[in-house]
Amino acid sequence: MSATLELTAPFDGPAVALNRVPDPVFAGLMMGDGLAIEPLSGSLLAPCDGEVAQLARTGHALTLRAANGAEVLIHIGIDTVKLDGDGFRPLVRTGERVRRGQPLIEVDLDAVARRAPSLLTMVVIANGEDYALEHKAEGMLQAGRTPLLTLSGGGNGAEDLADEGPQSRGQATVRHAGGLHARPAALVQNAARQYRASVQVEFNGQAANARSVVALMGLGVAEDDDVAVLAQGEDAAAAAAAVITALQTRTESGHGAPATVVSAPARDLPAGWIGGVCAAPGLAIGQVVRLDAFEPALPEFAVNADEEREQLRRALAQVSSGIATAIDDALRRGQTSQSDIFSAHLALVEDPELQAAAERDIAAGHGAGHAFRQAVRTQCRVLSGLGSPLLAERATDLKDIERQVLQALLGDAQGAPELYPASILVAEDLAPSELTRLPRERVAGILSAAGGASGHVAILARALGIPALVACGPQVLRLEAGSQLLLDAGQGWCQPEPDADALATARQQMSALEQRRAAMRADADGAAVTLDGVRIEVAANIANEQDARDAVLHGADSVGLLRTEFLFIDRQHAPDRYEQANAYQAVLDELQGRAAIIRTLDVGGDKEVPYLTLPPEPNPALGLRGIRTGFAHPEMLDEQLRALLMLQPLSRLRILVPMIAEVGELRRLRRRIDELAEEMGLSERPQLGVMVEVPSAALLADQLAAEADFLSIGTNDLTQYTLAMDRCNASLAASLDALHPALLRLIAQTVAGASRHGKWVGVCGALASDPLATPVLVGLGVAELSVSPGLVPEIKARVRTLEQQGCRQRAEALLALDSAAAVRARAAEWWPLD
């Protein structure tokens, strides 16, 4: 049936546009288009004739199905599901026929207002794809009398979904606080809409189309209920996995709070100085360049929707092309960290939900720029409210995309900032594209009010060697453009308008540091031998052939970690054994006779590849990662092992296995290597090592060393698992320190366990690159330190100043201290950095 339907106001009160509702799901039209009302009367009246299709258990929401098929969702208040029915008295039941103006729910407005963030009541068309809204009311409304919405269409707009093809079935435990009420149901619906397959959610003998918010809410699923998911169609497996993830992604019933701004750690600083979290160490003097948010004035309304859509399409294509070029350029230069970040940005530009949200706003009469900005800001609010600091940081990437698209629409009206010979970039939260488009030689440092040490800009700053201080708070935004700053990111502070004495001292330190670095580079090819004759192997962490050349150039004794992920990411199919073998052999050939530790594929958790169908996980850091993923996909693991066994000579190859938790896993892998080597007719075997990055591996080091040829400690993961602090959580950046006594005890235990079997231990995590930690690790008995290629000369020079016996005695004393701060203070006292 196709007909025009007029809805009348269900409450007395003023009309409010949905984009002004303080809830990202409703404001972003994820539930459908419509209007909101600020209620002034306590009885909710039916806006039309129809049937009660769904009534929330808590009485705060219901859906009417009108004669023309329109599903009219009425949601009273924000976050009212958490009231568990208090303040609401339903007067009707599901399935009951009602007439326009009939009372449906009695609401105690005073009681609800005291406990809910807002009384705003949303009236939306939940199946709005089939209807056109021809009229929206404005101003003051009278319940049962004032026309609220007028819509036309319906009846023939069903989507052409798959009703045949492969099937995929799975289970999910619903983690949304309050169950599948309106907003969580919308998140599930959006997940299902990304695929052609039909998806159903089944509960208590009932089934609901995952694309229908009304149907999902009608299941009556509560928090922690188990549901089944059935998908059918050629992309059924992916669709089922996406819906399961949406069902199991934890969201709170409370209104999402804004992203946490990480405050600087407490410290005693002179008046006027600014403290923060070190994202990239270093000392810099420069002038402030303000990179304030790009907020051009945008026309809210437009006359020709088709022209606006075409302008947006061209802008998105222009930005996509520019990002694709940046990815190619980064890969050619071997900058995998940059290419990974740009790849994430490309996915955001091409995100169908962002585009669909913008196009819906354009269809409602808004301009292209205004529509895209609203779509981005809505999604930023969603990410900020999901409870994940890592996702909240990704809102910065979305804002970066917004800026690029708006500049493409406006012809880059902002232009590039004017830089000084030595510029210190100051921003609320710097965007990656803002940093990479600026000439490196004119950027002396970075200072941001927000952000974290795990953000994309922090990663880039470390890769580019730019001192960066983040999470400094709003005071940085009061710095005047052009003013001079002295930045010591390693010490966590900056000094505005330093006096002549401070500048002279800093310049002297910077000059002396450069002279020392030049001397270190000159001696880099020599061995790193302590004063009492103990040789420490200083290796390099690399990702590709170019990095191998850099490692040799900087004097690395070997490669302590070759990450093989660079071959597997940003592609639709896994590389075969021949492509892998060629890439690994190229690295070996560049090393001029040096040995290389090559780590098997480490994906899962926060590192994904599109062709691996991994199950959704409520806590990915504790799920399928490293060798666990390899065991779950044995065909891919075998292909990589065959590629490694093809290398020549095998005597220079050391295979490293990530995420080993017990000796049985190591035995299983060694058996498989032996089987494959026999199939290939090989009599020689490469060395096999274990990456110690979970506490169980450190505690069982003696057992592992009996089977392994060497152990290599990955301090990044070992720190997060030992301290129970997510290393992607920016708010913990200042506390996540691998010099914590608990970590040092695990390192000591690892070395002790390995020494029982005459095996050596290396460190390939970030702690190995910290010069302050070098004497501590040498004292604990670590035999190899693997660092970024550029740090090899500095770490070698540091080793040559030490006596291992003295380091051992002092390192044992450090194990008795009670905090990482105490360890750092004592280490700085005993082994000061020049």
Side-chain angles (χ1 to χ4, degrees), residues 250-474:
R250 173 74 178 175
T251 59
E252 300 293 340
S253 62
H255 182 57
T260 301
V261 176
V262 186
S263 59
R267 69 186 72 205
D268 293 326
L269 291 175
W273 289 30
I274 297 173
V277 172
C278 175
L283 192 64
I285 298 171
Q287 291 176 270
V288 171
V289 173
R290 294 288 301 270
L291 297 179
D292 294 314
F294 183 51
E295 294 283 351
L298 298 169
E300 183 174 355
F301 300 102
V303 175
N304 191 317
D306 288 339
E307 289 183 2
E308 297 299 313
R309 271 190 290 268
E310 179 59 22
Q311 288 181 26
L312 180 58
R313 185 197 66 78
R314 287 198 300 266
L316 291 170
Q318 178 181 330
V319 173
S320 295
S321 176
I323 294 176
T325 300
I327 292 172
D328 292 342
D329 179 62
L331 289 173
R332 281 194 298 271
R333 291 182 285 109
Q335 298 294 330
T336 54
S337 58
Q338 291 189 28
S339 69
D340 291 348
I341 292 169
F342 293 144
S343 295
H345 281 199
L346 186 60
L348 291 176
V349 174
E350 297 174 350
D351 185 274
E353 288 299 321
L354 276 182
Q355 295 182 24
E359 289 182 2
R360 285 196 299 268
D361 218 17
I362 290 173
H366 293 104
H370 179 274
F372 190 74
R373 173 183 281 172
Q374 288 298 111
V376 168
R377 302 281 169 97
T378 298
Q379 188 60 31
C380 287
R381 290 193 294 269
V382 172
L383 290 177
S384 298
L386 287 178
S388 165
L390 178 61
L391 291 177
E393 278 197 12
R394 296 295 81 83
T396 301
D397 298 312
L398 274 171
K399 292 175 184 176
D400 192 2
I401 295 303
E402 174 195 317
R403 181 187 56 77
Q404 294 182 63
V405 171
L406 294 185
Q407 286 181 346
L409 280 169
L410 301 175
D412 201 11
Q414 185 187 34
E418 183 176 346
L419 298 181
Y420 301 97
S423 302
I424 294 182
L425 309 179
V426 174
E428 169 69 26
D429 198 357
L430 192 65
S433 68
E434 290 180 294
L435 177 57
T436 55
R437 70 188 177 126
L438 299 176
R440 167 65 187 91
E441 66 275 8
R442 303 189 74 180
V443 178
I446 296 170
L447 203 60
S448 71
S454 63
H456 281 162
V457 167
I459 294 170
L460 288 177
R462 289 193 290 271
L464 295 171
I466 300 174
L469 201 62
V470 300
C472 299

Side-chain angles (χ1 to χ4, degrees), residues 782-803:
V782 171
E784 180 231 46
L785 301 172
S786 191
V787 304
S788 59
L791 283 175
V792 168
E794 181 176 355
I795 298 301
K796 280 192 169 185
R798 180 76 159 156
V799 169
R800 295 179 188 128
T801 67
L802 304 173
E803 183 195 26

Side-chain angles (χ1 to χ4, degrees), residues 188-267:
V188 175
Q189 176 198 59
N190 282 335
R193 281 178 172 173
Q194 298 177 33
Y195 301 90
R196 294 295 307 154
S198 301
V199 187
Q200 286 190 326
V201 177
E202 300 173 353
F203 179 67
N204 275 354
Q206 294 181 295
N209 181 354
R211 297 177 183 234
S212 170
V213 171
V214 173
L216 289 169
M217 292 190 299
L219 291 175
V221 177
E223 182 181 353
D224 294 328
D225 278 343
D226 294 324
V227 300
V229 176
L230 175 64
Q232 184 166 17
E234 63 178 75
D235 55 357
V243 168
I244 289 171
T245 298
L247 288 165
Q248 297 192 151
T249 299
R250 173 74 178 175
T251 59
E252 300 293 340
S253 62
H255 182 57
T260 301
V261 176
V262 186
S263 59
R267 69 186 72 205

Side-chain angles (χ1 to χ4, degrees), residues 601-654:
L601 182 63
D602 186 11
V603 295
D606 61 344
K607 292 182 283 189
E608 300 179 358
V609 289
Y611 44 84
L612 275 186
T613 303
L614 299 176
E617 302 187 59
N619 193 338
L622 301 180
L624 281 182
R625 288 195 55 194
I627 194 60
R628 301 170 188 172
T629 306
F631 288 151
H633 294 268
E635 69 291 340
M636 190 171 68
L637 177 61
D638 281 357
E639 195 75 351
Q640 183 169 41
L641 293 176
R642 288 189 179 98
L644 291 169
L645 291 171
M646 292 167 65
L647 301 187
Q648 296 293 330
L650 281 178
S651 60
R652 290 202 285 119
L653 171 63
R654 302 167 181 167

